[in-house]
Amino acid sequence: MARHRGRAGAALRSTGRNDEYYTPPWLFAELALTFDLDVAAPAGGVPWVPAAASFTRERDGLAQEWRGRVWMNPPFSNPTPWVDRFLAHGHGVALLPCSKARWFERVWSEAPAIAFPGTRLSEAFAIYMPTFLAACGEDCVAAIGRTGPVR
């Protein structure tokens, strides 16, 4: 069961038995997008994620067909298969942890846009590493530009 973390608008975090960090509502407000699919939703979903449909761990988002504009906040403990799938799909926004892993180099070189919304995301998540947004598709690139500087 999730619990609130401090101030209003902060992220919800799972009980600590896994690595689920829920994206704060204010980020979706800044993106101003509606997604067709949340490909890595927690069980029961998160009510403020603006997605028409979602895949949970039980439905295995990696084994399902992805369609339309996707939102992806994958398990931070194993982002590689999620990043591969996201880049192959080519239309959506991903929230990812900064890393020295090969998948990070791949996102950096292949994603049309990367944004670092600053420390706001890391503070909201109450995690030990900075996070960033990657976008594919013109509408998604424009959306992450509303959150901060884009490369």
Side-chain angles (χ1 to χ4, degrees):
M1 190 67 170
R3 56 185 158 77
H4 282 281
R5 301 290 266 174
R7 66 192 184 284
L12 291 175
R13 181 168 191 256
S14 69
T15 59
R17 294 189 183 108
N18 57 42
D19 65 345
E20 289 181 351
Y21 291 89
Y22 308 159
T23 309
W26 57 261
L27 180 62
F28 294 110
E30 287 185 11
L31 291 172
L33 287 176
T34 300
F35 297 92
D36 297 302
L37 185 61
D38 179 347
V39 297
V46 178
W48 59 83
V49 176
S54 62
F55 296 138
T56 62
R57 183 178 300 181
E58 292 75 25
R59 291 190 62 200
D60 188 3
L62 288 173
Q64 305 295 328
E65 178 184 350
W66 292 11
R67 56 184 164 56
R69 183 187 303 131
V70 301
W71 166 253
M72 186 181 82
N73 177 357
F76 284 10
S77 63
N78 185 25
T80 303
W82 296 94
V83 166
D84 292 344
R85 185 75 183 271
F86 177 78
L87 291 171
H89 180 68
H91 189 202
V93 176
L95 173 62
L96 297 161
C98 291
S99 174
K100 291 183 178 181
R102 286 187 181 143
W103 68 259
F104 181 84
E105 293 173 14
R106 188 160 175 237
V107 169
W108 186 262
S109 64
E110 294 181 28
I114 302 287
F116 293 89
T119 59
R120 295 179 303 149
L121 276 176
S122 296
E123 289 171 358
F125 277 115
I127 60 173
Y128 60 92
M129 67 183 81
T131 55
F132 69 99
L133 296 169
C136 297
E138 288 182 30
D139 54 343
C140 296
V141 168
I144 70 168
R146 294 188 282 273
T147 71
V150 174
R151 97 75 214 133

